[in-house]
């Protein structure tokens, strides 16, 4: 009977650890969607500020090229945000943990993200655009 208690306790611990991993993935998804929302609402890129690490809370550094692309795509009328695990096929080199897709009208901005445990933030490894270039 005592052995059954230990087995039950062991199974309970395994189930709890699996649930915490699932919550972390869901938490990353919500954090990445929040990054997309913040990126599309950015209006200023302070070039005089030597440290652009504070433009978005969960991003280590927002590069000027990405900022300019987002400004070019404005206005964002009800953009959609998709989070995909892994890198952009045929574009990335399989180093990105996640891809954030920002869908706006007829175009898509795909942003490669790598999570950094030390900073508890994401690095932007690069981005690409697909679709309407007339904006």
């Amino acid at each position: 009977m005592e052995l059954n208690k230990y087995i039950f306790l062991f199974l309970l611990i395994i189930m709890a650890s699996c649930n915490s991993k699932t919550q972390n993935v869901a938490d990353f998804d919500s954090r990445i969607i929040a990054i997309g929302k913040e990126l599309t609402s950015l209006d200023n890129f302070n070039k005089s500020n030597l440290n652009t690490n504070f433009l978005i809370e969960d991003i280590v550094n927002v590069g000027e090229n990405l900022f300019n692309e987002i400004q070019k795509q404005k206005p964002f009328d009800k953009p959609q945000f998709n989070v995909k695990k892994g890198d952009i096929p045929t574009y990335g080199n399989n180093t990105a943990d996640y891809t954030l897709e920002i869908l706006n009208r007829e175009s898509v901005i795909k942003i490669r993200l790598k999570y950094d445990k030390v900073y508890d933030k994401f690095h932007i490894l690069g981005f690409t655009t697909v679709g309407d270039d007339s904006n």
Side-chain angles (χ1 to χ4, degrees), residues 14-24:
I14 288 175
M15 288 173 47
S17 70
C18 289
N19 283 341
S20 67
K21 288 179 183 176
T22 302
Q23 289 172 340
N24 287 341

Side-chain angles (χ1 to χ4, degrees), residues 45-46 49-56 59-63:
F45 189 88
N46 189 352
N49 184 358
L50 295 178
N51 189 351
T52 57
N53 295 348
F54 303 107
L55 289 176
I56 295 181
I59 293 291
V60 174
N61 184 24
V62 176

Side-chain angles (χ1 to χ4, degrees), residues 6-78:
Y6 287 115
I7 292 173
F8 177 75
L9 183 60
F10 177 73
L11 290 174
L12 194 60
I13 290 171
I14 288 175
M15 288 173 47
S17 70
C18 289
N19 283 341
S20 67
K21 288 179 183 176
T22 302
Q23 289 172 340
N24 287 341
V25 169
D27 182 48
F28 279 171
D29 286 357
S30 64
R31 286 173 68 180
I32 292 169
I33 288 171
I35 288 168
K37 290 178 180 178
E38 288 184 67
L39 280 170
T40 57
S41 66
L42 274 179
D43 289 324
N44 296 324
F45 189 88
N46 189 352
K47 293 181 185 177
S48 64
N49 184 358
L50 295 178
N51 189 351
T52 57
N53 295 348
F54 303 107
L55 289 176
I56 295 181
E57 182 178 333
D58 259 340
I59 293 291
V60 174
N61 184 24
V62 176
E64 190 173 352
N65 290 336
L66 177 57
F67 174 81
N68 290 336
E69 181 62 35
I70 288 170
Q71 296 310 303
K72 186 175 98 174
Q73 297 282 337
K74 285 188 174 185
F76 285 91
D77 183 33
K78 298 180 184 176

Side-chain angles (χ1 to χ4, degrees), residues 4-5 10 19 21 28 32 55 63 83 88 110 113 118 131-132:
N4 287 341
K5 288 181 185 178
F10 177 73
N19 283 341
K21 288 179 183 176
F28 279 171
I32 292 169
L55 289 176
V83 177
I88 302 170
K110 295 182 179 187
L113 300 169
V118 174
D132 185 11

Side-chain angles (χ1 to χ4, degrees), residues 2 13 20 24 26 29 43 45 69 77-78 91 93 95 97 99 104 108 115 122 127 131 135:
E2 189 70 26
I13 290 171
S20 67
N24 287 341
D29 286 357
D43 289 324
F45 189 88
E69 181 62 35
D77 183 33
K78 298 180 184 176
Y91 178 77
N93 56 2
T95 57
D97 297 323
T99 299
N104 186 40
V108 180
Y115 180 69
F122 294 89
F127 72 95
N135 292 336

